[in-house]
Amino acid sequence: MTEEQLSPEELTDRCWAVLAAAAENRPDDVEELLVTLPWPDLVTVVCGIGSFTVGAMAGRAGLDEATARADVADVVRRELLERLAEREGPNR
């Protein structure tokens, strides 16, 4: 981790680089792109990647952006609740 924060343009580039490495299933490269970031920049990159992903998912819905993003959030929350229920199961 470094103390030097990146410029907004460098953070955007880092988001794209992480997406490219993830698309090519290169977790070691993703780690290298993230491990050197100071905490505020790491949060910015993670939020940027999340926002891009939600926007891409929302764009497929054919709805206005706010409605589509709300729908994506609902789908993601349902998925999280289902995963939690599976882990907890009836025997826990």
Side-chain angles (χ1 to χ4, degrees), residues 36-89:
T36 58
L37 294 174
W39 182 253
D41 284 353
L42 179 61
V43 171
T44 299
V45 168
V46 170
C47 285
I49 292 167
S51 181
F52 172 81
T53 302
V54 169
M57 292 171 70
R60 294 177 182 224
L63 304 169
D64 69 90
E65 184 177 353
T67 300
R69 284 181 172 267
D71 287 351
V72 169
D74 288 342
V75 167
V76 170
R77 283 190 196 95
R78 275 195 305 274
E79 177 68 24
L80 287 169
L81 290 172
E82 288 173 16
R83 292 171 59 85
L84 178 62
E86 287 174 8
R87 279 196 309 275
E88 291 180 349

Side-chain angles (χ1 to χ4, degrees), residues 3 24 26 45 59 68:
E3 294 299 317
E24 296 171 345
R26 295 184 286 126
V45 168

